[in-house]
């Protein structure tokens, strides 16, 4: 049915009946297999609007309960039959993609689409939609799938669920990265977005609880995948809460924060309960039964739990801390032998670093606990026999030997760099150093090869420390240390870095606070190098606009890979005793002081068009001068810094200073800012960029107004000329200085005036004159032309009150002829409209008083556009007006004035006020009139 036919039908059939017919039509297609077609979805938006379930761009008006079929927007539609038939026969996703642009219009449509998409097509739907992330719709759909279907345990079903949830998580993470955080000021759209995010988060929580009730230990991957989706929604929602309301969870008094905290606590509590219910009473209880399945799966559970990632730092820390403590408590229940054996598993390195570290700490703690009971080498343990001790040593040695890096091809042993990488990335090294160190001294339980590995690792660590102190460390090694700084510091502590060594030992190993300082400075030195490289790279790009410049040597240095270079090759490393007394110094590029000083400010202002024009112009001049001077026009880097940059920078600073003080001439304003006419926002950004953070920029707004008014002066010339003409014509003696300045725009020396001459009065005048349209200017010009009429009215008629009397007299004189009656009406309308000029404008009036009179005139002109013509018409009959004035004597005029005053301000009193007085005819009527009411 075409749209036109449908519209015509809608006029003939009531909406309710039409909705029933449309619903019946869709249901019939579901029952006939050969007619089943997903294109019925194209009718759904019409159905929603007919049933008033949805209005364009408005929230749905249906029940707010996803358990109700009305929530899904498919009320009275037999969608289950449709889904059962098309599940493996038709692709519904393509139709939904066509409908996606309508989702914002019909906010119920997306729910209906998800409802009819078969489970095996949901993942494709989530990935295919370009604009929509249907978190609540998909989560509630999965909720019903888990709740109602018995095959949740099948692998293909779990794989599909995992794919759907992972796709949703990826979309949310992408949204979080691409959108800015909400500012402190939120609008209506922000409120809607926040409400939507809260609904998303709640729907994930609902799905999580459903899966917990239906799943077992082997469904941990789906469960943790949903937790990760929750973490993504939580973090994204937090970006929608303004910064000024995003306080800590403990001090929150914000409704949104409270809701988020409540849901977050519910997730942690539910996960805690699930772990308590589904996992064995002890991590290693299954060992006692001879099975390894449970504890292996449990390690995978913890691995996935620690993989849950919150972008919100506070939430992430709470999550990690809570489940780390829970995991540590379970590990503590194991026997020492179980801890060691578990840590020495072949696959332990496949687990999350938190799992590795917890098992490592537990294993080495177990070994240390056993070893501390030893009295001598023959009686090592009191409670554990020698065979178990040997077993621990064998297991730990085997683990260390297996993890040791293999030599590169053609080498006999692992390289320094391989060992360093292994040392800094393999967390169990901390335990090995503790066990073999002086404080414990249990290294003898390790094999000879394992002890050699520990000794080599200690030697590498010591060598690395000396290189850090001297600055002779390779930059890629330094980056490796900085990327694993917490682990390095832990290694340093357990190998004796917490105490200051004595000078007698001949050791140059600093204490822990000092090694921390050195690391901090080495990091700053690397950052300084990268910072300079970035600035130089930008500078080389900027030089492309002023070629030829000799940049080849510097370009090659910028492109060098410094991984194989030592830190001392790229900078002058600060020694431990120089910290706080010497500045960072990058030496790799060999730049002069002038070039170094140029790079930072150049980077900040190089994109300014004002700067670029000066930069290119100055460079052209220097190219020509060098050509004359030395026969070549190629500038060196130093010449660019001294002859081009320093000159341009001084010019820029002078322009900014003169602009700030207003001492810039109007001619200079034309030269510098002429191209920004009607683009004042861009000019303001330019000045802000050039100014940087050197001073406050409050003055820029004022200068923008002045420059804008200056640029618009020529547009005000007609209005200015009219105002000046009125001043001269009517002899106004007030202050018109601002207008006189505006009128001098065409004077020969006008461009030599300073920008500050466009002061507040001039700006105010310009803004007022901007309101004078062509029609208003013509109206004022007509007033000037009719000066004779205005002068006569001012002389003969003093105010509006007398004008009314004169109009009444003129009406008496007019008789009954239409022409004269119209003449009197025209007189009344014209003089009333121009009354602010005729009666109110005093000879000593200035510009502001004149503009106030104009305001009254503009109101009158708005009601009667023919006022100028009427004034001109009255002026043509000035002689007639004079005759009317002469023909009516002062007595008649006075009588009409008195009558007018009585009618306007008189108060009649009927009867006697004094009840005791004798009533007579003279006392029955009184007239009360204020003094001065009759002129």
């Amino acid at each position: 049915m075409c749209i036109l036919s449908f519209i015509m039908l809608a006029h003939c059939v009531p909406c309710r009946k039409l909705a029933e017919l449309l619903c019946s039509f869709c249901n019939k297609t579901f029952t006939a297999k050969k007619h089943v077609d997903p294109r019925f979805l194209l009718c759904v938006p019409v159905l929603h609007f007919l049933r008033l379930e949805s209005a364009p761009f408005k929230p749905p008006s249906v029940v707010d309960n996803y358990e109700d079929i009305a929530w899904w927007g498919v009320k009275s539609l037999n969608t289950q039959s449709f889904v059962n038939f098309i599940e493996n026969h038709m692709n519904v996703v393509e139709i939904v993609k066509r409908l996606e642009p309508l989702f914002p219009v019909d906010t119920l449509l997306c729910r209906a689409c998800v409802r009819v998409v078969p489970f095996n097509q949901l993942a494709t739907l989530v990935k295919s939609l370009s604009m929509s992330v249907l978190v609540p719709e998909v989560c509630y759909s999965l909720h019903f799938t888990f709740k109602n279907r018995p095959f949740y345990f099948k692998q293909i079903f779990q794989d599909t669920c995992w794919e759907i949830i992972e796709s949703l998580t990826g979309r949310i993470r992408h949204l979080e990265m691409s959108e800015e955080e909400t500012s402190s000021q939120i609008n209506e759209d922000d409120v809607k977005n926040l409400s939507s995010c809260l609904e998303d988060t709640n729907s994930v929580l609902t799905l999580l609880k459903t899966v917990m009730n239906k799943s077992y230990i082997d469904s941990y991957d789906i469960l943790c995948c949903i937790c990760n989706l929750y973490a993504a929604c939580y973090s994204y929602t937090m970006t929608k809460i303004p910064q000024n309301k995003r306080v800590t969870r403990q001090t929150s008094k914000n409704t949104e924060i409270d809701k988020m905290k409540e849901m977050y606590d519910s997730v942690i509590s539910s996960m805690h309960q699930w772990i308590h219910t589904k996992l064995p009473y002890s991590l290693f209880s299954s060992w006692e039964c001879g099975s390894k399945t449970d504890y292996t799966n449990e390690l995978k559970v913890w691995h996935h739990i620690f993989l849950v990632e919150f972008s919100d730092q506070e939430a992430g820390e709470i999550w990690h801390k809570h489940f780390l403590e829970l995991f540590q408590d379970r590990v503590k229940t194991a026997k020492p032998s179980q801890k060691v054996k578990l840590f020495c598993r072949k696959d332990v390195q496949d687990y999350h670093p938190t799992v590795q570290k917890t098992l490592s700490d537990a294993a080495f703690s177990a070994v240390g606990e056993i070893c501390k009971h030893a009295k001598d080498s023959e009686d090592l343990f009191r409670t554990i026999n020698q065979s178990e001790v040997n077993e621990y040593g064998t297991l730990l040695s085997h683990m260390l030997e297996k993890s040791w890096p293999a030599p590169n091809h053609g080498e006999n042993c692992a390289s320094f760099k391989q060992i360093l990488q292994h040392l800094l990335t393999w967390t169990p090294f901390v335990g090995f150093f503790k066990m073999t160190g002086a404080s414990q001294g249990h290294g003898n339980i390790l094999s000879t090869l394992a002890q050699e590995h520990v000794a080599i690792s200690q030697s590498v660590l010591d060598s690395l420390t000396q290189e850090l102190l001297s600055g002779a460390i390779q930059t890629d090694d330094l980056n490796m240390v900085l990327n694993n700084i917490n682990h390095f510091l832990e290694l340093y502590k357990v190998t004796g870095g917490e105490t200051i060594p004595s000078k007698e030992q001949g050791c140059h190993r600093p204490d822990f606070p000092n090694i921390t300082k050195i690391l901090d400075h080495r990091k700053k030195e690397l950052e300084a190098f990268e910072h300079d490289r970035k600035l130089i790279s930008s500078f080389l790009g900027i030089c492309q606009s002023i070629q030829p410049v000799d940049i080849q040597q510097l370009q090659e240095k910028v492109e060098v890979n410094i991984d194989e270079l030592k830190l001392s090759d790229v900078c002058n490393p600060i020694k431990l005793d120089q910290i706080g007394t010497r500045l960072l110094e990058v030496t790799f590029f060999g730049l002069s002081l002038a070039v170094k000083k140029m790079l930072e400010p150049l980077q900040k202002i190089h994109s300014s068009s004002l700067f670029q024009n000066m930069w290119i112009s100055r460079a052209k001049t220097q190219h020509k001068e060098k050509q004359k001077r030395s026969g070549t026009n190629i500038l060196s880097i130093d010449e660019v810094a001294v002859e081009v940059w320093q000159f341009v920078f001084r010019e820029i600073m002078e322009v900014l200073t003169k602009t700030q003080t207003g001492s810039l001439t109007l001619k200079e304003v034309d030269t510098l800012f002429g191209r920004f006419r009607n683009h004042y926002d861009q000019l303001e950004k330019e000045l802000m960029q050039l100014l940087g953070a050197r001073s406050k920029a409050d003055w820029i707004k004022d200068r923008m107004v002045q420059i804008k008014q200056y640029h618009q002066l020529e547009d005000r010339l007609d209005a200015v000329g009219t105002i000046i003409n009125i001043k001269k014509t009517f002899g106004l003696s007030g202050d018109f200085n601002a207008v006189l300045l505006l009128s001098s725009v065409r004077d020969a020396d006008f461009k030599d005036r300073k920008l500050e001459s466009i002061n507040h009065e001039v700006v105010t005048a310009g803004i007022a004159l901007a309101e004078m349209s062509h029609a208003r200017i013509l109206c004022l010009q007509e007033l000037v032309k009719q000066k004779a009429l205005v002068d006569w009215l001012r002389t003969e008629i003093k105010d509006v009150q007398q004008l009314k009397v004169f109009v009444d007299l003129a009406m008496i004189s007019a008789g009954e002829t239409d022409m004269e009656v119209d003449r009197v009406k025209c007189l009344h309308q014209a003089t009333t409209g121009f009354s602010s000029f005729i009666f109110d404008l005093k000879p000593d009036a200035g510009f502001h008083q004149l503009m106030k009179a104009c305001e009254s005139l503009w109101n009158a002109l708005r009601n009667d556009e023919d006022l100028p013509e009427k004034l001109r018409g009255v002026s043509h009959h000035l002689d007639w007006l004079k005759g009317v004035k002469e023909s009516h004597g002062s007595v008649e005029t006075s009588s009409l004035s008195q009558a007018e005053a009585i009618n306007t301000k008189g108060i009649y009193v009927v009867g006697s006020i004094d009840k005791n007085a004798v009533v007579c005819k003279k006392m029955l009527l009184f007239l009360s009139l204020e003094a001065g009411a009759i002129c």
Side-chain angles (χ1 to χ4, degrees), residues 23 79 144 285 288 388 405 426 508 554 558 576 762 829 863:
C23 189
T79 54
F144 287 116
S285 59
E288 298 165 3
E388 287 182 307
W426 197 52
H508 301 286
L554 193 56
V558 167
L576 184 59
V762 175
Q829 293 168 357
N863 297 324

Side-chain angles (χ1 to χ4, degrees), residues 355 460 799 826:
V355 176
V460 168
D799 52 30
C826 186

Side-chain angles (χ1 to χ4, degrees), residues 753-803:
R753 292 176 181 266
K754 303 291 180 64
L755 182 60
E756 63 184 353
S757 64
I758 312 294
N759 54 29
H760 177 70
E761 287 73 18
V762 175
V763 170
T764 304
I767 294 173
L769 293 173
E771 298 179 1
M772 291 181 61
S773 62
H774 181 64
R776 291 177 175 181
I777 291 174
L778 291 177
C779 185
L780 291 177
Q781 289 175 349
E782 189 63 43
L783 177 68
V784 172
K785 292 177 183 178
Q786 310 308 329
K787 179 179 183 300
L789 173 62
V790 173
D791 288 344
W792 182 82
L793 288 171
R794 286 179 173 177
T795 302
E796 300 296 334
I797 303 174
K798 301 300 182 183
D799 52 30
V800 177
Q801 187 67 33
Q802 290 191 14
L803 174 64

Side-chain angles (χ1 to χ4, degrees), residues 22-60:
L22 190 59
C23 189
S24 176
F25 168 75
C26 292
N27 283 329
K28 285 183 179 179
T29 64
F30 301 159
T31 56
K33 292 186 178 180
K34 63 179 181 179
H35 295 304
V36 174
D37 192 330
R39 287 180 295 180
F40 86 91
L41 284 170
L42 301 176
C43 302
V44 171
V46 179
L47 185 63
H48 290 162
F49 295 142
L50 288 174
R51 294 198 299 206
L52 303 179
E53 294 174 341
S54 181
F57 302 101
K58 300 291 183 182

Side-chain angles (χ1 to χ4, degrees), residues 794-826:
R794 286 179 173 177
T795 302
E796 300 296 334
I797 303 174
K798 301 300 182 183
D799 52 30
V800 177
Q801 187 67 33
Q802 290 191 14
L803 174 64
K804 292 180 180 179
V805 173
F806 181 74
V807 168
D808 290 340
L809 292 174
M811 188 63 73
I812 295 171
S813 300
E816 297 181 359
T817 61
D818 292 340
M819 183 179 296
E820 291 186 344
V821 171
D822 290 341
R823 189 182 300 165
V824 174
K825 290 181 179 179
C826 186

